Amino acid sequence: MKTFAVFASGGGSNLQALIDACVRGEIDGRIGLVVSDKPSCGALDRARAAGLETYAFRPADHADRESYERIIVERCDRAGCEFIVLAGFMRVLTPWFIRRYEGRILNTHPARLPSFPGAHAVRDALAAGVAVTGCTIHFVDEGVDTGPIILQSDVPVLPGDSVETLTRRIQAEEHRLYPRVVNLFCRGELPV
Ligand code: GRF
């Protein structure tokens, strides 16, 4: 059984899907640490409610990204985390951190990459008028949303969709896909 860290900045619905899947025994692994750059956020509330260890920090309290990342790595090591699951973590990681966990960082993105990378994927897909968007689970490399794609799912854009309604349907797909991918990674069944 592998131990992993989940990094999140927001509401934490993907974290919750991972917690629930672990509880149901659908992931051959456990969450050793939840990391957040937002000391009060839904993700941390969910982590604490599940009795998980957490580490929260304020980026502004640190001289640069590497200084907080060094603490994160120490905490991950101490908690025995072998890989990193990004679940709505809104910070770009340094090349130093990415190399430290090379091939061992997963991310979920709310569009079908390489379409609509960046922080406003749902809004951008709506603005482009596409009929179908979706979500992507991928490995993280040093670019933004450019790492090797693991699994994608389609979500149709419906007439009258807003960013909120479309986000909700995309997230429902993420909640289904992400625990499956994390389980495959835990079992060593995901070659890069
Ligand atoms: C997810 O939709 C993910 O694709 C994006 O941020 C969102 C996080 O949502 N990167 P939540 O905090 O897991 O609810």
Side-chain angles (χ1 to χ4, degrees):
M1 177 180 280
K2 278 203 159 71
T3 298
F4 56 95
V6 180
F7 290 17
S9 309
S13 66
N14 281 283
L15 168 65
Q16 191 66 55
L18 293 164
I19 292 171
D20 295 345
C22 285
V23 168
R24 288 195 299 264
E26 291 165 8
I27 294 180
D28 194 11
R30 56 178 285 275
I31 301 171
L33 182 67
V34 174
V35 172
S36 184
D37 59 326
K38 294 266 166 10
S40 57
C41 69
L44 281 178
D45 294 340
R46 292 175 191 269
R48 292 192 193 107
L52 298 174
E53 190 180 324
T54 60
Y55 171 63
F57 65 97
R58 279 187 191 78
D61 293 344
H62 297 265
D64 52 27
R65 284 188 293 167
E66 263 194 48
S67 90
Y68 64 70
E69 287 181 351
R70 283 185 191 282
I71 301 173
I72 294 174
V73 168
E74 259 174 54
R75 296 289 299 252
C76 285
D77 282 349
R78 224 187 301 153
C81 298
E82 293 156 88
F83 70 100
I84 310 292
V85 175
L86 304 181
F89 186 63
M90 300 310 281
R91 298 259 146 207
V92 175
L93 298 162
T94 64
W96 172 79
F97 185 93
I98 290 165
R99 270 179 238 131
R100 175 70 169 63
Y101 290 98
E102 200 182 349
R104 292 183 291 144
I105 309 176
L106 306 176
N107 185 42
T108 177
H109 182 78
R112 287 196 65 122
L113 292 171
S115 297
F116 311 116
H120 303 288
V122 180
R123 189 193 69 188
D124 293 348
L126 269 180
V130 293
V132 177
T133 182
C135 60
T136 302
I137 315 291
H138 65 99
F139 286 108
V140 172
D141 65 10
E142 289 179 28
V144 174
D145 301 326
T146 53
I149 289 167
I150 300 166
L151 204 60
Q152 294 186 312
S153 181
D154 287 346
V155 175
V157 179
L158 302 179
D161 252 342
S162 62
V163 171
E164 290 70 32
T165 57
L166 185 53
T167 297
R168 223 173 293 135
R169 292 204 314 286
I170 291 172
Q171 287 192 338
E173 277 307 289
E174 292 183 302
H175 301 160
R176 203 171 61 79
L177 247 54
Y178 216 2
R180 275 174 55 198
V181 171
V182 170
N183 181 46
L184 289 173
F185 192 82
C186 285
R187 295 168 62 94
E189 291 170 7
L190 264 192
V192 183

